[in-house]
Amino acid sequence: MSTAEHDTPDLDAIVVGAGFSGLYMLHRLRDTLGLRAEVIESADDVGGTWYWNRYPGARCDSESYFYSYSDRLDEDLLQEWTWSERFAAQPEILRYLQTVAERFDLRRDIRFSTTVTAATWDEGGTRWIVDTSDGRRSSARYLITAVGCLSTTNLPDFPGRDSFRGKSYHTGQWPHEGVDFTGQRVAVIGTGATAVQAVPEIAEQAAHTYVFQRTPNYDIAGGNRPMTEADAKEIKSNYRDIWARTRETGFGFPYDIADRPARSVSDEERREIFEEAWARGGFRLGTTFNDLLLDADANSTAAEFLREKIRGVVRDPETAEKLSPRDHPFFTKRPPLENGYYETFNKDNVTLVGVRETPIDSITEKGVVVDGVEYEVDSIVFATGFDAMTGTLFRLNLTGRDGVTLKAKWEAGPRSYLGLTTNGFPNLFMLTGPQSPSVMSNMVVSIEQHVDWVTDCLRWLREQGRDRIENTLAAEDGWISHHDEVGAMTLLDQANSWWVGANIPGKTRRIYPYMGGVGVYKGLCDDVAAKGYEGFETSSSGATAMA
Ligand code: NA7
């Protein structure tokens, strides 16, 4: 493909996606490096995940004050912006991202309502050729995917699904005008983090809510509450320390995993520790001991604590037992944070329908059929999750060197170096790609780390007079074996979760996120950079595309 074919001027970089990662990447490319960059975004505004997920109750499960851009972006914004709740709801996070887009004048370099249909590496031109749904073809030296990890929805192919005469929704593609369920009979399929947020809100309105549960989860107390003035003051005066800590801890939170095994303390003491974490809410419970995710026996102590909590809330013992997970260890599926979810099952007009032993047979014109019973409903809410981490990358139809597609290369699972790049796909960077900590961490911290690493890498290339970079196969093999070795030390593979690709029929089962922790991972990435981008081969095309 020759560059003469391009009908738009060449760019230095194209970024796909205008969520948390794409916005920050654009700012760095354009305003820090002075590059000509464009973001391509399928939605009609910024926000990414927070643009699409508008279902009732949608909220972040990481605390707002550290689920936002850090002091690396703008210290003034940290002081000016005050979150209204401990865990921000979707509209507030979207407003925050819109504010960032305005503050840095980012929208002028974003092509909205446009989907990337294909991206092909042009070795002769040392560039990516990008085709989009608006019929345009663009080219750029570098292609950076900022597509999010949970952006391709999973809509199971239930027999008869499309025959349903009522309204159906997927939580990840919620109508902007909202949905009023007042007086309706509603089916919610799924009991992951999304359903756990949505069900209490839907059940407030609906005449009857049927929740179809395949696998019960260990839901942790959300502990959401309004942010007080005192909270805000304390946080704002400590921001530097808070951010510094997030970059060094295992999960990218400003608190770390306690350095003690679960059995190192007495039963009473452990209980107190769990109770304290429970009362504070959020993922703290998962950081109470250092072996919860490594040792089945240690894990069982937390699992039993959580089952007890369910029994303490849900009045009907049969329903409580049905809601209690027993088939997988705690935290081997992403634990939802609950704010009133279990309590909802004490309502007379909420029914839990188990669909593990007797899966959903079909969907009919009138409703959902399980075990010969037709649950007649007016609306169906599919809270059935996403083809995580690789789903959207594959939909970009990436073709690398020698005509090899990403999908073909990754048929047996992702192959990356640091979760950032992949051999055969020069000048491609995947922000929060598989085999990086991403979904096993506070996403924004991981996003910033990736964006900053890519920014430094591009600066370094320019300083070296190079404009082509590709990781070696040896480096990739090394990363994969380290990644797999660390993953195998955990209990993660003991559950059928989207973390291991088990939620999508036919998807290769592998541990997708890097399990070594945010701080360790950052150290490894920094080390690669400090050694002159060890594991990469770089060269110069002799062109002068970069400013
Ligand atoms: P999840 O966590 O993948 O949950 C999807 C739910 O849908 C889960 O309970 C699934 O049961 C259920 N599901 C999926 N397919 C089926 C079929 N065929 N039959 C019955 N039930 C089904 O997605 P969420 O949107 O809740 O959360 C995704 C992430 O977003 C979350 O982890 C946070 O990081 C934010 P299963 O457990 O697979 O048996």
Side-chain angles (χ1 to χ4, degrees), residues 49 53 55 59 61 150 154-158 170-172 189-196 212-217 283 328 333-336 355-356 359-360 382-386 439 496-499 502-503 505:
T49 293
N53 283 268
Y55 59 87
R59 141 179 340 277
D61 283 347
L150 296 155
N154 169 39
L155 196 56
D157 199 10
F158 298 114
H170 190 288
T171 51
I189 302 179
T191 53
T194 296
V196 167
F212 294 83
Q213 171 190 271
R214 187 164 65 182
T215 313
N217 271 313
F283 294 120
H328 64 278
K333 284 169 91 81
R334 155 71 150 77
V355 297
R356 171 170 291 289
I360 293 172
F382 293 95
T384 43
F386 301 87
V439 293
N496 292 323
S497 74
W498 60 260
W499 281 336
N503 64 326

Side-chain angles (χ1 to χ4, degrees), residues 320-342:
E321 184 50 32
K322 236 183 189 174
L323 285 165
S324 299
R326 295 196 182 270
D327 69 335
H328 64 278
F330 166 58
F331 229 118
T332 53
K333 284 169 91 81
R334 155 71 150 77
L337 296 199
E338 70 105 21
N339 290 287
Y341 176 74
Y342 289 128

Side-chain angles (χ1 to χ4, degrees), residues 10-12 35-36 125 127 141 465 467 540-547:
D10 287 345
L11 294 156
D12 295 317
L35 298 181
R36 288 169 304 135
R127 68 195 59 224
R141 187 70 77 209
D467 57 11
S540 165
S541 66
T544 50
M546 285 179 74

Side-chain angles (χ1 to χ4, degrees), residues 1 32 35 79 82 119 123 127 145 149 157 187 230 240 261 272 277 279 296 305 317 348 366 387 399 411 470 483:
M1 218 175 292
T32 303
L35 298 181
Q79 295 305 321
T82 302
E123 184 66 48
R127 68 195 59 224
T145 61
C149 295
D157 199 10
R240 284 226 174 132
E272 271 170 36
F305 174 81
D348 293 337
K366 292 183 185 163
D387 184 354
T399 305
E411 203 179 348
E470 180 179 356
H483 173 276

